């Protein structure tokens, strides 16, 4: 049965859903049932931590996720947005059958996304392994007064640092790029939630704390001061997921969060996420 959904209404309702729940600032939503990346309220530079799809097949439905924080939500077209004649044109059983088709479509897309992320991680790992160690005189390192630590590599063609992001088993699954001006971005398509950059974790002993913070420069500085194992979650929204991963593997070690104090940013996300974690 066709219900003649107005495409503009579908897009408008889904856009409102994205803005309300993810701080989505753009005004272009593509209704094609495919994955599209978007900037969240916490993204910087060229980062796009959000992903969504929306489709009008069967019954209009969509989904969005912030891969930085793990927040995710599904959306379905509100039945009360149909006119009264269309609303009464099908039974409750038919309506539930349409919703089930939407759920199956969602499941298939999530499986495809997981596969795409796994493939992206393989590409990231291969690239990282073929890069040389980063030079100590890279402009970003000089500006931040930090040195090369934790297997920091270098992508000469784009003059960018390649920060290895690992899972809790120590496997490189993604890369953060940092160019000469300090602009940061993540390896396209690879997962970011729960992965991290690590310094001296191989020296960890049961009586040692793990120091957890946000970026490379911050934790490289903390390591130089403390000489204790340090972990960078790469952004405040990832602190909680990384802390959980660390605690699951190292339950005997205290985790100390070295929070960014974002006094010039509304809501002070660095401090608030650290306190929440």
């Amino acid at each position: 049965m066709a219900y003649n959904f107005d495409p503009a209404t579908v897009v408008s309702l889904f856009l409102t859903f994205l803005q309300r729940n993810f701080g989505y600032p753009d005004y272009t939503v593509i209704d094609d049932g495919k994955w599209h990346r978007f900037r969240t309220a916490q993204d910087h530079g060229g980062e796009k931590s959000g992903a969504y799809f929306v489709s009008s097949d069967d019954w209009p439905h969509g989904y969005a996720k912030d891969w930085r924080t793990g927040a995710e939500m599904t959306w379905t077209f509100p039945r009360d947005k149909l006119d009264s004649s269309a609303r009464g044109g099908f039974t409750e059983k038919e309506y539930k059958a349409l919703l089930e088709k939407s759920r199956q479509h969602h499941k298939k897309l999530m499986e495809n996304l997981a596969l795409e992320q796994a493939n992206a991680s393989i590409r990231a790992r291969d690239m990282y392994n073929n890069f040389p160690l980063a030079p100590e005189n890279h402009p970003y390192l000089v500006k931040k007064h930090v040195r090369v630590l934790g297997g920091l590599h270098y992508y000469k063609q784009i003059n960018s640092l390649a920060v290895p992001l690992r899972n809790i088993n120590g496997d490189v699954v993604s890369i953060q790029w940092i160019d000469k001006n300090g602009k940061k971005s993540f390896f396209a398509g690879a997962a970011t939630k729960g992965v991290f950059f690590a310094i001296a974790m191989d020296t960890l002993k049961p009586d040692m704390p793990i120091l957890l913070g946000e970026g490379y420069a911050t934790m490289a500085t903390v390591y130089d001061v403390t000489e204790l194992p340090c972990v960078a979650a790469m952004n405040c929204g990832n602190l909680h997921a990384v802390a959980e991963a660390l605690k699951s593997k190292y339950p005997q070690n205290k985790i100390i969060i070295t929070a960014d104090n974002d006094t010039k940013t509304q809501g002070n996300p660095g401090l608030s996420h650290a306190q929440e974690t």
Side-chain angles (χ1 to χ4, degrees):
M1 182 183 296
Y3 300 103
N4 299 317
F5 295 102
D6 176 21
T9 301
V10 173
V11 166
S12 175
L13 290 172
F14 188 73
L15 175 60
T16 300
F17 159 81
L18 286 179
Q19 291 172 331
R20 180 182 300 120
N21 296 291
F22 297 91
Y24 182 70
D26 298 330
Y27 293 94
T28 302
V29 166
I30 302 174
D31 174 10
D32 61 359
K34 298 179 181 179
W35 286 105
H36 299 279
R37 300 302 293 246
F38 66 90
R39 288 175 56 83
T40 67
Q42 295 179 349
D43 281 334
H44 303 284
E47 295 176 350
K48 290 186 176 182
S49 300
Y52 78 83
F53 74 80
V54 59
S55 172
S56 290
D57 291 344
D58 298 315
W59 186 266
H61 58 283
Y63 167 87
K65 180 167 184 173
D66 184 342
W67 291 101
R68 182 193 301 271
T69 65
E72 58 183 325
M73 295 186 72
T74 57
W75 172 86
T76 56
F77 188 89
R79 191 176 181 181
D80 60 10
K81 294 297 181 181
L82 292 173
D83 63 47
S84 57
S85 59
R87 200 178 312 148
F90 59 104
T91 66
E92 189 67 22
K93 183 178 180 179
E94 289 171 332
Y95 176 57
K96 289 181 177 179
L98 289 170
L99 293 183
E100 179 58 29
K101 286 185 177 180
S102 298
R103 281 191 285 270
Q104 292 302 318
H105 183 214
H106 164 81
K107 180 181 178 182
K108 183 177 180 180
L109 281 171
M110 291 303 295
E111 290 171 349
N112 290 341
L113 181 62
L115 180 60
E116 290 171 6
Q117 286 192 319
N119 290 333
S121 290
I122 293 172
R123 295 194 300 273
R125 189 177 307 122
D126 288 344
M127 288 185 71
Y128 170 77
N129 288 335
N130 284 299
F131 291 150
L133 201 64
E136 295 284 356
N137 64 349
H138 186 275
Y140 180 76
L141 300 178
V142 173
K143 178 182 178 182
K144 294 292 186 177
H145 304 286
V146 293
R147 58 196 176 102
V148 174
L149 294 166
L152 183 67
H153 282 189
Y154 178 59
Y155 189 3
K156 183 177 180 180
Q157 284 82 345
I158 59 173
N159 193 19
S160 291
L161 301 172
V163 184
L165 305 183
R166 303 177 185 274
N167 60 22
I168 197 60
N169 297 318
D171 303 315
V172 174
V173 297
S174 188
I175 296 171
Q176 184 187 64
W177 310 111
I178 307 178
D179 71 12
K180 64 179 182 179
N181 298 314
K183 181 180 179 181
K184 301 173 184 178
S185 59
F186 291 102
F187 192 94
T192 56
K193 183 184 178 183
V195 302
F196 52 85
F197 169 73
I199 303 173
M201 284 296 288
D202 58 341
T203 68
L204 184 67
K205 297 177 181 178
D207 60 342
M208 282 184 176
I210 301 170
L211 305 183
L212 171 62
E214 292 189 33
Y216 177 88
T218 298
M219 299 318 295
T221 302
V222 171
Y223 175 74
D224 277 340
V225 172
T226 66
E227 296 186 345
L228 291 169
C230 289
V231 169
M234 311 320 287
N235 58 73
C236 61
N238 199 33
L239 286 172
H240 189 269
V242 172
E244 283 190 328
L246 292 171
K247 204 64 181 174
S248 68
K249 186 167 185 178
Y250 309 105
Q252 74 277 18
N253 295 91
K254 180 182 291 186
I255 297 174
I256 299 174
I257 301 175
T258 60
D260 279 21
N261 191 17
D262 299 324
T263 56
K264 296 182 179 180
T265 303
Q266 184 177 1
N268 199 330
L271 192 58
S272 61
H273 277 275
Q275 290 171 332
E276 179 184 345
T277 300

